[in-house]
């Protein structure tokens, strides 16, 4: 009996890896459509996927993998951020030295910080491209309206996450960039002073203290930004991202033109002969995972038009994740994250610049902090969030620019937006602005009529003109979105490369005055 018990023990020990694998993966390798569907349907991590998807959604040009790339970037940022937290101390006395230790002492510390830095910048770029892809393919239309709003929330959270991490190195670049942000938060005082209201109406002071925890950038601000960056904002990002991904599935999957047939080895580059499922395949059965009754987006969708999410979708997602990791690693190897001198409130940076994704705002803020820093961004974000509820035209989703007319409107909008943005910079640089022309003019006119506000009005008027000419809210929305996208790119370029000391205009940094 003892020998038999010992033999049983050793047999169980040898079978331990196999039994452990079977306990984790209950359905084994995806050997059939049913097994593939059950694996996705019963797995906690894979359940966010539909069990079957249309082959068109695997095409590169459908989504360019931007959503999956954003998830990959967030995972990379989380992993590298946790490693950086091991050595970082959120103290004005120790923060800078801890970053220096990471940079020069900790093995691979500089490499990890580089990856974290460039992944953060890459995430801002990718979320803008992802928004553009969703917009231009009309993937915000019913039943996806609320998911577009969730996407706008994620866009704002991405900017907030990147900005909150900007202060943590506690160097000159970080200190004065956040100081600019704090001044923008306090900009309502500009309107209060222009109207001659009592100091009790200085809402800007309250907003600055809410942002910094004090009236100036110091320990309170560093602690607040650190907690926002490592706890509050990531938790909010995970929650909203989870709902966002879940709604993609519940709203019918990725947007594609209705009635798109399953290609027979043609039209979708990722199709393979194994992915083509003939309707007469023997022994095929479908459960609730594939056939849906009612008014769901899946109603009327033949399972024979789809392919299993496992392995085709998961393989594509893994490929995008690997490419994203490769790009982040390459950037981390080639370019070091900047680190300037330790923050010194007595020695301001000149030019003091916000993070690159806020430099377009800083260009408008240079004329009016209130309008350029708060009013225009609020209008843009709110306007973008309301697009699905203002554009209710019925049309197929998944078609770029909604066809040839939309492409023409977008092309003309690019030209108009570029000319208007260049003029908004060139005219004040060459001829000055209202204060130069009318030295005694009231400050209220300066706040209202500035290049940023006039540029915004010009874009809105162009959009309304397109809407009236085409009688299409969709084409009007394409015109407006294109204008703001082009304006953002041009003003960001101007703020990055053409603005020097004292925010003066220079054609090249080589032309900056030498001190």
């Amino acid at each position: 009996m003892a020998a038999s018990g010992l033999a049983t023990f050793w047999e169980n020990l040898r079978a331990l890896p196999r039994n452990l694998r079977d306990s984790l993966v209950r359905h084994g390798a995806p050997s059939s459509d049913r097994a593939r569907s059950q694996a996705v349907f019963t797995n906690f991590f894979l359940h966010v996927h539909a069990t079957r998807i249309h082959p068109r959604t695997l095409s590169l040009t459908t989504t360019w993998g931007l959503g999956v790339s954003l998830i990959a970037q967030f995972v990379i940022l989380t992993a590298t951020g946790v490693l950086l937290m091991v050595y970082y101390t959120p103290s004005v006395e120790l923060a800078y030295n801890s970053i220096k230790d990471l940079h020069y002492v900790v093995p691979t510390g500089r490499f990890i910080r580089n990856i974290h830095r460039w992944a953060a910048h890459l995430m801002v770029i990718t979320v803008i491209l992802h928004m553009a892809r969703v917009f231009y393919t009309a993937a915000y239309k019913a039943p996806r309206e609320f998911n577009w709003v969730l996407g706008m929330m994620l866009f704002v959270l991405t900017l907030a996450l990147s900005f909150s991490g900007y202060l943590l190195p506690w160097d000159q670049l970080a200190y004065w960039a956040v100081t600019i942000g704090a001044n923008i938060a306090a900009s309502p005082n500009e309107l209060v002073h222009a109207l001659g209201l009592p100091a009790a109406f200085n809402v800007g002071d309250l907003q600055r203290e809410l942002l910094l925890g004090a009236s100036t950038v110091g320990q309170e601000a560093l602690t607040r930004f650190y907690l926002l960056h490592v706890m509050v904002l990531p938790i909010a990002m995970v929650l909203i991202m989870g709902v966002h991904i879940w709604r993609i599935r519940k709203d019918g999957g990725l947007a594609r033109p209705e009635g798109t047939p399953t290609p027979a080895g043609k039209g979708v580059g990722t199709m393979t002969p194994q992915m083509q499922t003939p309707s007469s395949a023997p022994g095929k059965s479908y459960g609730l995972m594939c056939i849906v009754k009612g008014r769901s987006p899946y109603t009327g969708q033949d399972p024979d038009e789809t392919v299993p999410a496992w392995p085709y979708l998961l393989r594509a997602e893994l490929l995008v994740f690997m490419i994203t990791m490769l790009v982040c690693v390459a950037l981390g190897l080639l370019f070091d994250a900047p680190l300037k001198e330790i923050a010194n409130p007595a020695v301001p940076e000149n030019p003091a610049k916000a993070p690159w994704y806020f430099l377009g705002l800083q260009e408008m803020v240079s004329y009016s902090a209130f309008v350029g820093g708060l009013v225009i961004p609020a209008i843009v974000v709110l306007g973008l969030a309301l697009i699905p509820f203002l554009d209710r035209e019925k049309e197929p989703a998944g078609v770029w620019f909604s066809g040839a007319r939309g492409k023409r409107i977008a092309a003309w909008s690019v030209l108009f937006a570029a000319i208007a943005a260049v003029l908004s910079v060139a005219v004040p640089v060459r001829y000055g602005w209202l204060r130069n022309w009318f030295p005694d003019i009231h400050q209220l006119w300066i706040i209202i009529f500035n290049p940023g506000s006039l540029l915004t009005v010009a874009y809105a008027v162009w959009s309304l003109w397109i809407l009236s000419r085409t009688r299409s809210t969709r084409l009007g929305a394409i015109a407006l979105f294109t204008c703001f996208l082009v304006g953002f790119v041009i003003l960001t370029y101007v703020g990055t490369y053409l603005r020097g000391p004292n925010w003066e205009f220079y054609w090249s940094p080589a032309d900056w005055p030498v001190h």
Side-chain angles (χ1 to χ4, degrees), residues 171 180 234:
D171 62 350
I180 292 172

Side-chain angles (χ1 to χ4, degrees), residues 179-262:
T179 300
I180 292 172
N183 292 337
I184 292 175
S187 62
N189 292 349
E190 178 186 0
L191 182 63
V192 171
H193 297 157
L195 294 175
L197 298 176
F201 289 88
N202 284 344
V203 182
D205 293 341
L206 176 60
Q207 290 189 168
R208 179 167 50 196
E209 292 206 15
L210 286 175
L211 178 66
L212 302 179
S215 57
T216 58
V217 180
Q219 179 61 58
E220 297 84 358
L222 183 59
T223 303
R224 188 160 298 199
F225 275 56
Y226 180 72
L227 289 175
L228 285 172
H229 189 70
V230 305
M231 184 181 299
V232 178
L233 295 176
I235 291 175
M237 178 75 81
V238 169
L239 293 176
I240 299 178
M241 188 184 297
V243 178
H244 184 66
I245 298 171
W246 176 74
R247 283 299 296 258
I248 292 174
R249 174 181 172 184
K250 295 302 180 182
D251 291 340
L254 297 177
R256 63 181 178 86
E258 295 179 3
T260 304
T262 300

Side-chain angles (χ1 to χ4, degrees), residues 42 50 70 80 132 139 199 211 214 233 252 254 257 270 272 322 394 439 487 495 511:
T42 59
L70 282 170
T80 54
L211 178 66
L233 295 176
L254 297 177
T270 53
T272 64
M322 293 172 63
K394 299 293 183 182
D511 298 331

